[in-house]
Amino acid sequence: MNILVVGGGGREHAIIKKLRESARVTKIYALPGNGGIAADAECVDIGAKDIDGITRFAVENHIDFAVVAPDDPLVLGAVDSLEGAGIPCFGPDKKAAIIEGSKIFSKNLMKKYNIPTASYRTFTDMAAALEYVKTAPMPTVIKADGLALGKGAVIVENVEEAQKTVRAMMEERIFGESGASIVVEEFLTGPEVSVLAFTDGETLVPMVSSMDHKRALDGDAGLNTGGMGTVAPNPYYTEAVAAECMETIFLPTIRAMQAEGRPFKGCLYFGLMLTKDGPKVIEYNCRFGDPETQVVLPLLETDLLTIMEAVHDGTLSQVQVDFAKECACCVILASKGYPGKYETGFAITVPDNLKAQVFFAGARRQDGKLYSAGGRVLGVTARAATLQGAIDAAYAAADQIAFANAYCRRDIGQRALQALSCGAQ
Ligand code: AMP
Ligand code: GLY
């Protein structure tokens, strides 16, 4: 089968590597992919937001199945366009992708269907928002309504900061139109868990849980990034917590989307916080998370294409989805300075016999050699029977990969190890 994967980061590389394991896959195109992905798929220089270009390419190249991975094309309606042209897809249509595309939509959905989440107020009028934050309990969380490259949530400690943030979003439009409306919500505390789930709109199958590390520096210091590493499974996500989430969050969410006439098909990402009052939703994403996918898919034992086709066909209940009973750790190698300013264009060397998988994000290829070309350059994922073993193997492999100005966090998985030693599971 001819497969098309839309996107060009570490997540897409992990999806492509997993799809390549399927005997039925003959050819994979990545749009646009990147220089590292080029070893596993044919990369075509069509941007992930160029919906018409993607659809034209898919039709002209007789694509049998398409996977739309990033948020932007999903929210813009890439799946509607491809399906309209007769190409079966994995991913939600535009109507369902709004669960990530609008925080106000998702907050209102949770309220209407009693799905536990932080209490909140929404604003389209800046004066009203500025007035409200004067008396809001601090800290508080301010979020742009629309997509903001994962940077649209700001935790503020006092009224001054809150008003500055409201102005930055609503007046200065630092996130563009995404800040035309905002959500101001209660600050929650507790361990965070990411759960990705396959769903065909009726049946929902959670994947192995994971833990992201969003801050740039060790000890969760520094700025928020797109994610500096992940481990799976997440030790805080015990069987009891999983059962509670299924009952109070996962199933109610897919039923709510059905009831709203927006059945969700694809990968639904639940960003959860385990609070004293039980698990609550921090955010929904309408897609695989990055870098969560880089630990979750390497543990998947079932044929990914079979699952994706079943999600499309509405037959997920007939597929047995299995994950290895092992642990995985992914360490991101980034360019020094990320998520701020950084330099790129440095040659990347990866030894041949690495005992880990490498997923490329910000890499380009020139004359057969790889060069750094972005903030997050690559992810290194290792599997082992224990979490400690996976962490050690991931760092051992990461330390063998070299490019100038590379940096990584050295403490990926440490919090999970501490949780294990405290008996979280
Ligand atoms: P989001 O963009 O909604 O995923 O938020 C990014 C990060 O901000 C989350 O992973 C949390 O660490 C933090 N965060 C978001 N909402 C809240 C909240 N209501 N309370 C505490 N932390 C939050
Ligand atoms: N790792 C968080 C995200 O993919 O949005």
Side-chain angles (χ1 to χ4, degrees):
M1 285 172 71
N2 273 340
I3 311 288
L4 181 157
V5 175
V6 176
R11 163 186 54 208
E12 287 75 14
H13 201 179
I15 292 170
I16 286 166
K17 275 192 190 276
K18 189 48 88 172
L19 285 171
R20 272 175 58 113
E21 292 174 14
S22 177
R24 289 184 296 134
V25 171
T26 43
K27 170 109 195 173
I28 305 181
Y29 294 97
L31 275 57
N34 67 51
I37 290 178
D40 292 302
E42 183 172 330
C43 297
V44 181
D45 192 16
I46 296 176
K49 289 200 259 184
D50 179 1
I51 309 294
D52 291 343
I54 292 167
T55 306
R56 210 174 312 120
F57 178 88
V59 171
E60 283 169 7
N61 290 276
H62 311 289
I63 296 299
D64 298 303
F65 196 81
V67 180
V68 182
D71 46 3
D72 282 309
L74 289 167
V75 170
L76 289 169
V79 167
D80 309 62
S81 174
L82 285 161
E83 295 265 357
I87 316 277
C89 286
F90 178 86
D93 62 11
K94 188 174 178 174
K95 253 172 41 185
I98 193 175
I99 198 166
E100 175 170 2
S102 167
K103 296 230 190 265
I104 294 182
F105 170 87
S106 67
K107 295 298 289 189
N108 290 343
L109 184 86
M110 289 186 268
K111 189 172 179 185
K112 182 170 173 189
Y113 294 91
N114 282 318
I115 297 166
T117 188
S119 61
Y120 69 101
R121 295 272 305 265
T122 65
F123 297 93
T124 46
D125 175 47
M126 189 172 75
L130 290 172
E131 190 59 31
Y132 172 74
V133 296
K134 278 189 192 164
T135 54
M138 293 292 159
T140 199
V141 187
I142 304 181
K143 297 182 176 180
D145 175 47
L147 298 180
L149 295 170
K151 293 177 187 149
V154 181
I155 297 167
V156 295
E157 304 285 341
N158 54 50
V159 178
E160 239 185 307
E161 266 182 53
Q163 294 198 327
K164 209 172 123 200
T165 304
V166 168
R167 283 210 171 85
M169 287 185 188
M170 300 189 85
E171 194 169 62
E172 295 154 33
R173 295 289 167 97
I174 55 167
F175 302 122
E177 281 311 297
S178 290
S181 312
I182 62 166
V183 175
V184 180
E185 71 177 30
E186 174 196 9
F187 176 75
L188 301 175
T189 53
E192 287 188 58
V193 182
S194 304
V195 180
L196 318 183
F198 293 112
T199 174
D200 61 6
E202 296 265 344
T203 301
L204 178 136
V205 180
M207 300 178 221
V208 61
S209 63
S210 54
M211 183 190 285
D212 195 2
H213 297 68
K214 288 199 165 107
R215 298 297 189 107
L217 306 173
D218 283 16
D220 288 330
L223 294 172
N224 253 325
T225 70
M228 292 300 294
T230 36
V231 291
N234 184 322
Y236 289 105
Y237 193 71
T238 60
E239 273 180 33
V241 173
E244 187 177 357
C245 289
M246 192 64 153
E247 193 183 321
T248 64
I249 296 174
F250 303 163
L251 294 176
T253 301
I254 57 162
R255 288 188 196 126
M257 290 298 278
Q258 260 176 36
E260 294 294 309
R262 299 171 184 273
F264 188 101
K265 285 180 170 211
C267 173
L268 185 53
Y269 169 121
F270 298 90
L272 306 170
M273 196 171 270
L274 309 183
T275 74
K276 282 203 303 291
D277 304 321
K280 296 192 178 182
V281 177
I282 291 283
E283 65 164 342
Y284 292 117
N285 290 327
C286 65
R287 52 171 173 86
F288 285 99
D290 198 0
E292 285 90 340
T293 305
Q294 300 183 48
V295 281
V296 169
L297 287 188
L299 292 171
L300 178 65
E301 292 191 325
T302 309
D303 181 70
L304 180 59
L305 181 61
T306 302
I307 300 172
M308 288 181 156
E309 286 177 318
V311 164
H312 172 267
D313 296 342
T315 55
L316 185 58
S317 63
Q318 294 164 31
V319 179
Q320 167 79 28
V321 177
D322 291 315
F323 284 86
K325 298 267 176 290
E326 286 191 6
C327 298
C329 174
C330 169
V331 175
I332 300 292
L333 296 190
S335 301
K336 201 168 87 198
Y338 170 79
K341 273 200 181 142
Y342 52 83
E343 281 180 65
T344 61
F346 302 109
I348 306 171
T349 51
V350 181
D352 287 337
N353 57 349
L354 210 63
K355 290 200 186 68
Q357 284 194 298
V358 180
F359 303 119
F360 286 96
R364 70 181 165 79
R365 190 175 290 261
Q366 197 178 326
D367 303 328
K369 284 180 84 179
L370 284 173
Y371 296 87
S372 61
R376 289 188 298 171
V377 176
L378 56 91
V380 186
T381 297
R383 273 175 60 163
T386 63
L387 181 58
Q388 183 72 62
I391 294 169
D392 291 345
Y395 276 107
D399 289 341
Q400 292 178 59
I401 298 174
F403 60 94
N405 281 17
Y407 93 93
C408 65
R409 275 180 64 161
R410 300 301 314 185
D411 66 343
I412 302 303
Q414 290 306 315
R415 220 147 73 81
L417 281 178
Q418 278 160 23
L420 280 176
S421 70
C422 296
Q425 197 164 41

